[in-house]
Amino acid sequence: MTVSRTICSGFLVLIGVGTVLLLLPVATASGNWNSPLVALFTATSAVCVTGLIVVDTGSYFSPVGQGIILALIQVGGLGYMTANTFLVLLLGRRLGLRERIAIQQSMDNSGLSGGRSLILSIIAMTLVFELTGIFCFYPVFHQDYGPGLGLWLSIFHSISAFNNAGFSLFADSMVRYALNPWVNGVVTALVIIGGIGYQVIMELVMWLRDRTEGRRTRTMFSLNFKIVTSTTAILLVLGTGAFFLTEFNNPDTLGPFAPQTKLLMAWFQSVIARTAGFNSIDIGGMGNASLFIMIALMFIGASPGSTGGGIKTTTLRILLACTRMVLQGQEAVITYRRQISTSRVLKAIAVVVGSGLVVVTTTSLLAISNPTLSFIRILFESVSAFATVGLSTGITAELSDFGKYVIIATMYLGRVGVLLFMAALVGDPKPTAVQYPEEELLIG
């Protein structure tokens, strides 16, 4: 079995196990056997760290069921190969060439060395940030819900936020805490950190370590770090401004609140739109302009090596740099005084084209099977599922059974990646030494 097939089948196994566990009566609050479609949809959404739901997580599932969902989120956020490799290391086994190649592909890492230390660093980093989130959430949730439930809410929402899953035990997601700057700050911080990628976090940690020890010139930020951080910052600022302006007078969202509160809500949705499915305002009440802006942000998504989906920030920057170079009459793609290889440019184009085809197919199938729903809401749902964001205008539960299966498939494709899934179907690409003659072709 090829590496790509191993990864894709691994996610399917996780979804299958999660579905079986969520089917059990002990997983539901009513104590009855769960609906197979509800169990499959929820398990897929959890493993793919999406957050789309067809039932209310907090009231429909028992504490055991909620714990199963949380475990699926944790494993899904880490990724199948990361979790599997960690188990291998716990058993005292050495990583073989196959495991190293799998880690390279799943993490988009350029080298085969350091696989063991990379996995251990990812696990440790995840635990540190999730524990920090728990401690930050606990004072608020303890005050509102008591020590026991407050601790469980802190654990659940910290893991869900860091893994960009968007699952919440509150029926209104984070609407009840829309005016709480502390909760908003903790959620957005966890989502941003989880969405920028492990490599970026590691580089930042190394830089801070060198600064602390007085070695200012030892750590040089990579091109990946510069592109991810700058693009993320730009998108966050542009998203906040866009939501603030387009929803400023909307009585269903930001309209009734003071300007500073509107800015806080706009910031929250700007962060969440690209990676996680929490919401502090009614998404269904947003105007078409805001929904379309959110669709664009969701499609871009998070960064490589993170828990988020989408085409990724680096892909966007490569294509923008490619466009700029064409307009300037240059053939090499340059950014930050570094040349991007042709293979990376082609991969970025393939990611966007493949992602676009999946979204178009999903939207078409949902529109055919749900003719009463508006197009903008269907498109929103499709992009949210593919980018594993989890935001919804409230139509998820209203979809036909066929539509729900379409969303399940879309969430899976968005999590494993279009190119990886195609490689699993046709086999890993094989280089060829054959060269064909060039010929001019009209473009544009």
Side-chain angles (χ1 to χ4, degrees), residues 1 51 59 83 88 141 215 249 261 302 338-340 350-351 353 361 365 385 388 432:
M1 182 181 291
S59 60
V88 170
F141 293 155
R215 295 177 294 191
N249 294 319
T261 304
R338 294 292 186 272
Q339 181 172 332
I340 307 298
V351 167
V353 172
T361 303
L365 292 175
T388 68
T432 177

Side-chain angles (χ1 to χ4, degrees), residues 46-296:
V47 170
C48 299
V49 289
T50 304
L52 287 175
I53 55 174
V54 290
V55 294
D56 176 46
T57 307
S59 60
Y60 185 88
F61 291 99
S62 66
V64 174
Q66 296 168 13
I68 294 171
I69 293 172
L70 194 62
L72 294 175
I73 290 173
Q74 186 70 87
V75 177
L78 289 172
Y80 167 73
M81 286 311 305
T82 302
N84 182 66
T85 305
F86 182 62
L87 291 177
V88 170
L89 295 176
L90 284 180
L91 294 175
R93 292 172 50 193
R94 296 176 60 87
L95 295 180
L97 179 61
R98 188 181 190 81
E99 286 82 5
R100 295 179 186 276
I101 295 175
I103 293 172
Q104 177 196 18
Q105 286 199 7
S106 61
M107 298 299 298
D108 200 18
N109 195 23
S110 58
L112 297 179
S113 61
R116 182 178 184 275
S117 60
L118 174 63
I119 296 300
L120 294 178
S121 298
I122 290 174
I123 299 295
M125 196 179 305
T126 299
L127 293 177
V128 167
F129 284 114
E130 289 178 350
L131 287 173
T132 303
I134 292 171
F135 284 118
C136 291
F137 277 131
Y138 185 70
V140 177
F141 293 155
H142 171 269
Q143 180 180 358
D144 294 344
Y145 300 97
L149 181 57
L151 178 61
W152 175 238
L153 291 172
S154 301
I155 294 173
F156 191 96
H157 289 91
S158 178
I159 294 176
S160 180
F162 180 76
N163 288 283
N164 285 208
F167 274 87
S168 176
L169 296 182
F170 304 128
D172 59 357
S173 189
M174 288 295 169
V175 174
R176 66 187 63 189
Y177 289 106
L179 305 182
N180 190 314
W182 178 256
V183 173
N184 278 253
V186 174
V187 172
T188 53
L190 289 172
V191 169
I192 291 173
I193 295 172
I196 61 175
Y198 296 108
Q199 293 93 331
V200 173
I201 299 175
M202 289 178 182
E203 285 193 49
L204 184 59
V205 170
M206 293 176 61
W207 180 80
L208 291 174
R209 182 198 63 187
D210 290 348
R211 294 280 293 184
T212 302
E213 296 176 358
R215 295 177 294 191
R216 301 188 178 184
T217 59
R218 180 178 176 182
T219 301
M220 299 294 293
F221 289 127
S222 67
L223 179 62
N224 179 73
F225 181 95
K226 295 175 182 178
I227 289 180
V228 167
T229 53
S230 61
T231 307
T232 298
I234 292 171
L235 290 174
L236 290 176
V237 172
L238 290 179
T240 301
F243 292 135
F244 183 79
L245 294 175
T246 56
E247 294 295 311
F248 191 88
N249 294 319
N250 189 338
D252 296 326
T253 54
L254 305 185
F257 301 98
Q260 62 270 23
T261 304
K262 293 179 181 180
L263 188 61
L264 175 65
M265 292 178 170
W267 160 258
F268 187 90
Q269 289 309 141
S270 176
V271 174
I272 299 303
R274 291 179 34 249
T275 49
F278 297 108
N279 62 282
S280 62
I281 58 177
D282 178 19
I283 302 298
M286 297 178 71
N288 287 340
S290 301
L291 290 178
F292 192 75
I293 292 170
M294 191 168 285
I295 288 172

